[in-house]
Amino acid sequence: MTELPSPSLRPGGPPSRSARRMMLVHAHPDDESINNGATMARYAAEGVHVTLVTCTLGERGEVIPPELAHLSGAALGQHRMGELAEAMRALGVDDFRLLGGAGRYSDSGMMGLPDNDDPGCFWQADVDQAAGLLAEVIREVRPQVLVTYDERGGYGHPDHIQAHRVAMRAVELAAGAGADEADGWDVPKVYWNRMPRPVAEAAFARLEDELSGLPFDKAGSIGDLPGVVSEVHVTTEVDGTAYAAAKAAAMRAHATQITVAEPYFVLSNALAQPLFTTEYYELVRGERSVGRESDLFAGVDTGVGAGEAS
């Protein structure tokens, strides 16, 4: 299934090198570094087995650097595969995969474009079929924690929405539905990426004050951020401040898509936005702790066999 470098995992059993295992499901290369780069770097440094599953190669992404503007379609996808590998080196993550293998599902483009109708794009994928592929990886890796987007995909991109649908269905399938129950894996905790509105408001206020000293001409707005919600929806915050440099390096690795000037960055729209090193989540599956969590594994028995379907 994997076309990218990854460690050898024991089929049908948990990776032997770590009792704590987490999986992230993202739509395109670069989404993981923007949304979860500090979290991934922190847990990788702590010895957690971090697995990234990326659903497309982002073949329809808009290229920023003029010297790379000739890249499009399959050529851009191949280039972005290399960017993903470099980003994962920066984060210390060596288990990263493409759903169904490289090229199985192509980038669907922004919502409402004719690209959405391409029969090979991820938006057109059969959800159960794609979820079945992901469920195989869940059963292999047996993560106690899975992170993905909310039902809007954070901001409405069709591939993000589809990644949410596929990830949530895969969790159901991996637990045993339609498979040998003995091989099932019931993921104890599932999180959606979130951004508390007060945190975003404060960060953009600082950006406005500092914009004149940045290599960017214009600031974005809260509406440019995915997953902004009221504080009540945020159950967990992961302090990745110590891994700010790793997150920035991973984002720089995605050079076709991102320009970084710490602690800010721009995408192809050239609108500056904050680079967050504390990352926020909403627990949507699993037992909630009292108060806000600071650890995605809070309350989880990370002994071998924890969470296995019976």
Side-chain angles (χ1 to χ4, degrees):
M1 171 179 180
T2 303
E3 299 291 330
L4 297 175
S6 67
S8 177
L9 304 178
R10 290 182 293 156
S16 60
R17 68 179 185 177
S18 177
R20 293 192 298 165
R21 303 175 298 278
M22 69 180 297
M23 179 178 292
L24 303 98
V25 180
H26 277 289
H28 316 102
D30 81 354
D31 292 326
E32 81 297 322
S33 297
I34 295 170
N35 287 278
N36 311 111
T39 298
M40 294 172 72
R42 171 183 156 175
Y43 282 112
E46 291 178 0
V48 173
H49 185 102
V50 179
T51 300
L52 170 68
V53 180
T54 306
C55 298
T56 82
L57 286 173
E59 299 93 334
R60 292 188 166 101
E62 297 179 2
V63 177
I64 296 175
E67 64 273 18
L68 297 176
H70 62 282
L71 293 172
S72 64
L76 177 57
Q78 287 297 310
H79 187 89
R80 294 189 70 179
M81 191 159 58
E83 291 182 338
L84 180 61
E86 184 178 346
M88 293 303 96
R89 283 193 290 272
L91 298 180
V93 173
D94 52 18
D95 183 7
F96 50 104
R97 310 168 183 224
L98 291 164
L99 184 62
R104 176 63 178 266
Y105 300 111
S106 65
D107 188 343
S108 306
M110 298 300 290
M111 185 67 83
L113 295 179
D115 298 331
N116 303 165
D117 298 324
D118 181 345
C121 77
F122 190 47
W123 183 240
Q124 294 295 328
D126 179 271
V127 170
D128 273 4
Q129 182 183 65
L133 295 171
L134 182 58
E136 292 177 9
V137 186
I138 292 174
R139 294 190 195 105
E140 175 192 334
V141 176
R142 304 195 173 199
Q144 294 100 349
V145 169
L146 186 143
V147 176
T148 191
Y149 313 102
D150 64 14
E151 68 278 2
R152 291 191 63 253
Y155 71 106
H157 191 293
D159 287 335
H160 289 237
I161 295 170
Q162 190 77 318
H164 160 84
R165 294 171 178 169
V166 168
M168 299 305 290
R169 179 60 175 147
V171 168
E172 295 176 353
L173 294 176
D180 183 346
E181 292 284 342
D183 294 330
W185 180 259
D186 192 3
V187 180
K189 301 184 83 174
V190 176
Y191 291 92
W192 294 345
N193 291 307
R194 290 302 194 192
M195 171 54 62
R197 184 169 293 277
V199 173
E201 289 172 345
F204 274 99
R206 288 192 298 272
L207 170 56
E208 288 289 351
D209 291 339
E210 299 174 8
L211 185 61
S212 61
L214 298 176
F216 309 131
D217 296 327
K218 189 175 180 181
S221 66
I222 290 176
D224 297 313
L225 296 183
V228 177
V229 292
S230 66
E231 291 265 16
V232 70
H233 293 289
V234 178
T235 62
T236 313
E237 62 180 90
V238 175
D239 183 358
T241 305
Y243 303 95
K247 175 168 180 170
M251 290 173 63
R252 283 194 180 94
H254 293 289
T256 59
Q257 309 298 303
I258 307 172
T259 302
V260 178
E262 294 175 74
Y264 303 103
F265 71 98
V266 297
L267 300 172
S268 60
N269 61 10
L271 299 176
Q273 57 180 287
L275 191 162
F276 294 98
T277 55
T278 295
E279 295 166 344
Y280 300 86
Y281 303 90
E282 179 180 4
L283 179 66
V284 296
R285 177 186 172 97
E287 186 173 346
R288 296 195 179 199
S289 303
V290 176
R292 186 173 288 185
E293 299 174 328
S294 59
D295 178 11
L296 295 175
F297 290 88
V300 173
D301 179 359
T302 56
V304 174
E308 188 169 0
S310 60

